[in-house]
Amino acid sequence: MQQKRNIQIIEWEDLDKRKFYSFGVFMTMAIRATVYPATLIRTRLQVQKGKSLYTGTYDAFCKILRAEGLRGLYRGFMVTTFTLISGQAYITTYELTRCIIGQIFAADGIRGFYRGYVASLLTYIPNSAVWWPFYHFYAEQLSKMAPSNCPHLVLQAMAGPLAAATASTVTNPMDVIRARVQVEGRTSVTETFNQLIREEGFWGMTKGLSARIISSTPTAIVMAVGYETLKKLSLRPELVDSRHW
């Protein structure tokens, strides 16, 4: 009986760094453009009071598309490129978002740019801390159940969404609080949490969860496949034939 083979991990020292960074920028932008509409919908669901405007993910999608068109689903997208683009592209992005930056600074000063910073840390750090261990855990479990000739990339593509759903469920309460703090201009995470519980109960902590899982699923697939493919493409030539995919 043929022994099951474990998922092979490409280590940092195995990579051609120039290829890794070059391909990485384009892949990251493609992922963000694909899932941004679901992210926008999730945020709008989380910051609304009860169901005052949208009743759910699909309802929000239809209403935004009908009222604002396709561009409405990408409102604020250019701001996200600040983390990827430098040099001349930095100036271009600044010009495109200057009026928004002027409004934030005029209303809240420098502190306005850090609104919800603590809540964001309490959301994204645990999310990453949960995502990666579960990604490798699910990939290993799937490799034990799958036929030995099953491509590892398929198993990793399945492990990504499973890890994303787990991480989204665990961290969604803090994501709701983060969105409220940033949109409503609050300074206290505890105060925001208490008010949310008073007004909407513990079910309020699940707001936007389905939209978050929906948005994280394609992100996780593309990220897992893209990341593993990126590492494969970046392998040093002498190691290419030694890896099973």
Side-chain angles (χ1 to χ4, degrees), residues 54-176:
Y54 310 117
T55 60
T57 301
Y58 182 71
D59 180 62
F61 172 79
C62 293
K63 286 182 177 177
I64 293 172
L65 192 62
R66 186 164 53 246
E68 305 176 45
L70 186 61
R71 292 182 62 183
L73 294 172
Y74 284 90
R75 188 178 300 277
F77 177 73
M78 288 301 298
V79 178
T80 67
T81 62
F82 273 122
T83 59
L84 297 174
I85 301 175
S86 59
Q88 293 182 349
Y90 174 85
I91 300 299
T92 302
T93 306
Y94 169 73
E95 291 297 331
L96 292 173
T97 60
R98 184 170 54 185
C99 61
I100 300 175
I101 294 173
Q103 291 170 5
I104 294 174
F105 184 78
D108 300 314
I110 294 296
R111 292 182 61 186
F113 295 102
Y114 292 91
R115 185 186 298 162
Y117 180 68
V118 174
S120 295
L121 290 179
L122 294 176
T123 300
Y124 298 127
I125 293 177
N127 188 80
S128 295
V130 171
W131 199 98
W132 286 105
F134 272 100
Y135 168 67
H136 291 295
F137 170 77
Y138 287 131
E140 286 296 331
Q141 296 306 308
L142 289 169
S143 71
K144 294 176 183 178
M145 295 184 289
S148 59
N149 61 348
C150 182
H152 286 174
L153 201 59
V154 173
L155 303 179
Q156 290 160 334
M158 295 170 63
L162 291 174
T166 302
S168 295
T169 302
V170 170
T171 62
N172 197 72
M174 280 309 306
D175 196 46
V176 175

Side-chain angles (χ1 to χ4, degrees), residues 32 50 52 94 177:
R32 291 191 179 191
S52 57
Y94 169 73
I177 293 172

Side-chain angles (χ1 to χ4, degrees), residues 176-192:
V176 175
I177 293 172
R178 174 200 59 79
R180 291 289 181 94
V181 168
Q182 290 178 330
V183 173
E184 296 177 4
R186 299 179 178 276
T187 58
S188 172
V189 171
T190 304
E191 177 188 340
T192 305

Side-chain angles (χ1 to χ4, degrees), residues 12 15-28 84 230-231 234:
W12 177 251
L15 303 178
D16 180 322
K17 306 304 188 297
R18 186 180 62 179
K19 291 181 181 178
F20 181 80
Y21 286 118
S22 299
F23 293 143
V25 170
F26 292 107
M27 287 185 177
T28 301
L84 297 174
L230 171 61
K231 292 204 293 183
S234 304

